[in-house]
């Protein structure tokens, strides 16, 4: 049963999942009772992901992914979500649903886009390797230099935003670079961005599909491609980022 909501805005949580049946009980147990909707985007799982999710969450909305990749899963989940606010979390147990209140609070206090950060004061990670941490910091630095942002953590997938800004984000990628694309386009659209400290846990069961070098290169290409696109825009169409 849904608990009394602390916010007047309705909240949808989008969870992309592929073969995460063993992790979903842990993930769903952390979700606040006051959220309005959970959208599970199933990447054509071969285990009992969908059955487990439906048993755990009556009223769950299930979207079957049409292509492959985390980016495609999130885009399809966002399109299906009906809440005023959309929160994106992972299905592997690495993101803590109890932090959702902090993200929504940042939005109702004036932010357009609430961006999770493991490096902001109060954040942390039990999972990130030294190589991934170094790569993330370098990519974050490059993004800040090129786009005038003040991000502390570029490559983290725990974010929330007002659904009305989906058109401004105009998301159009299939892979793990989706978080980077969201962060850059939110800044380019002039959205008010607030970082929210978040603690990343280790994956509970299974093996991650993330490949540090391959996906890091995809992120770098995204950063550079978006810079070229920005340069090609008419000056009058640009708005400067507003990072809280």
């Amino acid at each position: 049963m849904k608990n009394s909501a602390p916010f007047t805005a309705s909240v949808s949580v989008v969870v992309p999942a592929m073969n995460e049946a063993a992790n979903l009980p842990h993930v769903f147990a952390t979700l606040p009772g006051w959220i309005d909707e959970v959208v599970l985007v199933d990447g054509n799982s071969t285990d009992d992901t969908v059955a487990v999710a439906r048993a755990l969450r009556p009223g769950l909305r299930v979207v079957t992914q049409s292509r492959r990749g985390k980016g495609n899963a999130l885009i399809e989940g966002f399109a299906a979500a009906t809440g005023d606010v959309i929160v994106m979390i992972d299905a592997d147990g690495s993101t803590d649903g109890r932090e959702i209140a902090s993200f929504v609070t940042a939005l109702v206090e004036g932010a357009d886009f609430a961006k999770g950060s493991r490096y902001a004061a109060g954040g942390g990670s039990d999972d990130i390797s030294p190589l991934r941490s170094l790569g993330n910091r370098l990519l974050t630095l490059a993004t800040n230099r090129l786009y005038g942002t003040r991000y502390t953590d570029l490559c983290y997938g725990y974010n929330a935003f007002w659904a009305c800004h989906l058109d401004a984000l105009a998301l159009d990628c299939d892979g793990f670079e989706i978080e980077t694309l969201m962060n850059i386009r939110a800044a380019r659209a002039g959205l008010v961005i607030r970082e929210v400290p978040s603690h990343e846990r280790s994956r509970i069961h299974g093996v991650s599909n993330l490949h540090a070098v391959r996906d890091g290169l995809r992120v770098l290409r995204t950063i550079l491609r978006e810079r070229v696109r920005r340069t090609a825009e008419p000056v009058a169409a640009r708005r400067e980022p507003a990072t809280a």
Side-chain angles (χ1 to χ4, degrees):
M1 181 179 296
K2 181 178 174 182
N3 297 333
S4 179
F7 307 103
T8 56
S10 57
V11 178
S12 295
V13 176
V14 175
V15 188
M18 184 173 70
N19 298 328
E20 299 285 9
N23 290 320
L24 288 179
H26 304 276
V27 174
F28 282 14
T30 70
L31 297 179
W34 47 261
I35 61 176
D36 298 272
E37 176 182 61
V38 176
V39 180
L40 180 88
V41 186
D42 178 53
N44 296 285
S45 298
T46 56
D47 67 359
D48 294 328
T49 289
V50 173
V52 168
R54 288 191 189 278
L56 290 169
R57 188 90 190 182
L60 175 82
R61 298 191 66 190
V62 176
V63 174
T64 301
Q65 190 174 347
S66 64
R67 296 203 301 273
R68 294 178 61 85
K70 184 177 182 180
N72 172 250
L74 286 171
I75 290 169
E76 296 190 347
F78 296 161
T82 62
D84 301 318
V85 168
I86 298 176
V87 183
M88 47 191 278
I89 68 171
D90 291 333
D92 60 4
S94 62
T95 47
D96 188 347
R98 287 167 292 206
E99 293 180 355
I100 289 175
S102 297
F103 285 84
V104 180
T105 296
L107 296 176
V108 300
E109 289 180 347
D112 298 313
F113 188 91
K115 181 188 176 315
S117 174
R118 295 162 291 186
Y119 298 105
S125 177
D126 301 327
D127 179 67
I128 194 167
S129 67
L131 175 62
R132 286 174 50 214
S133 182
L134 175 62
N136 186 18
R137 289 181 181 274
L138 292 174
L139 292 167
T140 301
L141 177 62
T143 298
N144 288 341
R145 291 286 179 87
L146 290 173
Y147 296 98
T149 50
R150 298 189 296 273
Y151 294 142
T152 61
D153 190 355
L154 183 70
C155 306
Y156 188 44
Y158 203 166
N159 302 297
F161 55 92
W162 292 102
C164 61
H165 296 309
L166 267 175
D167 287 344
L169 296 176
L171 301 172
D172 56 1
C173 69
D174 285 347
F176 279 101
E177 70 274 18
I178 185 74
E179 293 102 354
T180 296
L181 187 66
M182 293 180 72
N183 295 332
I184 291 174
R185 290 193 178 169
R188 290 178 60 207
L191 301 186
V192 176
I193 302 163
R194 181 177 300 175
E195 288 199 330
V196 176
S198 176
H199 192 99
E200 179 186 39
R201 301 172 174 182
S202 298
R203 164 181 276 275
I204 301 172
H205 299 288
V207 178
S208 172
N209 293 314
L210 177 68
H211 297 274
V213 175
R214 181 198 67 190
D215 293 311
L217 289 173
R218 292 185 67 159
V219 168
L220 179 60
R221 285 194 294 269
T222 297
I223 295 169
L224 298 177
R225 183 182 67 245
E226 290 297 303
R227 179 62 178 178
V228 171
R229 180 177 297 179
R230 173 184 169 86
T231 302
E233 288 179 349
V235 173
R238 300 178 193 165
R239 296 173 62 193
E240 293 305 314
T243 308

